[in-house]
Amino acid sequence: MLERAVARIREETSLEPRVGLVLGSGLGGVAEEVAERVVVPYADIPGWPISTAIGHAGRLVLGRLGDVPVAVMQGRVHLYEGVSPEHAVFGIRVLGRLGVETLVVTNAAGAINDSYRPGMLVVISDHVNLLARSPLVGPNDERLGPRFPDMSDAYDPALRALAREVADRLGLETAEGVYGAWLGPQFETPAEIRFMRLIGCDLAGMSTVPEVIAARHMGIRCLGISVVTNMAAGIAEGKLGHEEVLEVGARTEPRLTALLRELVPLVAEL
Ligand code: HPA
């Protein structure tokens, strides 16, 4: 199936992307800046899962950012949509097969760390997988990677340092933190957030972790950037809603886009 998907994309372009990007809910702006772009709707790619989430365009954009050939996933599926973990990472494996060496993953997240604020960009330093599942469960495909991949430095230290350096240069405030992956789709309870804080999570979100596991399995270097869209349940007053996540995401998206525009061409050289 991977091969069929790659062949279908190759019918549209001979571009060999070096950097892959995954753009989360309402965070798709940088895809509009890709030059010499070829757009392939996910629905046209055999085997590619289709997202049901609001704010997810669902297409692959291939082209150049700066001089660097990139493949941008504009929209992703989440495990809470009911897809299997293996199916959820299909796109990441296709990017790997297309030649991507570095993956930049973005997401919207709730802040557990109370020094964060909505609208902040947080570079992910590590994750805790609270999904209780992995895309690597089942017989291992040795052509993709090893049975027991290492997950130390899953979020590449040099890429993290570069991301923060570029953000500083642009005058964008960033922090670093641990991302806790929550299955959802319901937000966490305040008690669950207290538990996540206790085990070392700074951020709560419902994506990214399966993608990074699949990418590390293939030896792809990863960088993760969260847009803080809300304080997590019980961290601040008030109720949580998807509208707030989309609204703050949309407001913050230009800053994320500014960062990615500068960062992605440099990432390829690292
Ligand atoms: N929890 C989980 N996922 C999220 C949140 C949250 O508070 N905000 C955005 N995605």
Side-chain angles (χ1 to χ4, degrees):
M1 211 51 169
L2 274 180
E3 276 59 39
R4 281 184 57 204
V6 170
R8 178 68 191 83
I9 294 161
R10 288 264 180 260
E11 284 173 17
E12 301 291 329
T13 175
S14 59
L15 187 95
E16 299 201 348
R18 293 185 53 207
V19 180
L21 270 97
V22 183
L23 302 178
S25 317
L27 304 177
V30 81
E32 311 305 329
E33 301 187 12
V34 172
E36 300 164 42
R37 47 199 268 137
V38 172
V39 178
V40 191
Y42 294 159
D44 291 354
I45 308 173
W48 200 295
I50 306 296
S51 174
T52 59
I54 308 163
H56 285 249
R59 57 202 201 149
L60 184 65
V61 178
L62 298 119
R64 289 176 196 280
L65 264 182
D67 274 344
V68 175
V70 296
V72 184
M73 282 173 58
Q74 205 175 9
R76 59 151 69 89
V77 289
H78 306 80
L79 296 195
Y80 63 71
E81 295 179 69
V83 295
S84 71
E86 189 186 359
H87 198 198
V89 301
F90 184 81
I92 301 300
R93 288 175 168 159
V94 170
L95 296 195
R97 277 282 197 265
L98 286 170
V100 161
E101 299 152 355
T102 307
L103 184 70
V104 181
V105 185
T106 66
N107 59 57
I112 301 172
N113 186 322
D114 58 16
S115 74
Y116 298 169
R117 287 290 168 266
M120 237 169 112
L121 302 178
V122 181
V123 174
I124 299 175
S125 57
D126 202 347
H127 74 223
V128 179
N129 183 4
L130 296 172
L131 302 169
R133 58 201 78 182
S134 162
L136 308 185
V137 168
N140 186 53
D141 185 342
E142 292 290 328
R143 293 166 303 178
L144 294 176
R147 172 76 289 187
F148 301 109
D150 178 37
M151 289 296 284
S152 6
D153 290 335
Y155 299 82
D156 191 274
L159 289 175
R160 281 152 51 195
L162 180 66
R164 299 202 68 190
E165 206 180 291
V166 172
D168 280 353
R169 185 148 34 87
L170 296 173
L172 303 172
E173 189 191 7
T174 57
E176 268 208 341
V178 175
Y179 180 95
W182 185 250
L183 179 61
Q186 75 290 348
F187 289 110
E188 305 78 8
T189 65
E192 286 160 347
I193 289 297
R194 287 196 296 277
F195 163 72
M196 289 173 78
R197 199 218 291 256
L198 213 53
I199 62 170
C201 300
D202 298 296
L203 298 158
M206 302 177 193
S207 66
T208 299
V209 163
E211 295 156 7
V212 167
I213 292 171
R216 292 307 301 140
H217 183 228
M218 296 181 87
I220 297 170
R221 292 194 310 174
C222 295
L223 174 69
I225 302 174
S226 288
V227 170
V228 175
T229 52
N230 57 280
M231 301 312 285
I235 300 290
E237 298 288 312
K239 294 188 187 300
L240 301 185
H242 190 52
E243 300 69 31
E244 174 189 8
V245 169
L246 289 181
E247 196 259 309
V248 179
R251 214 169 349 110
T252 313
E253 185 273 324
R255 274 181 285 145
L256 177 70
T257 297
L259 176 59
L260 294 175
R261 182 192 298 135
E262 293 293 312
L263 183 60
V264 168
L266 298 173
V267 151
E269 276 159 35
L270 210 67

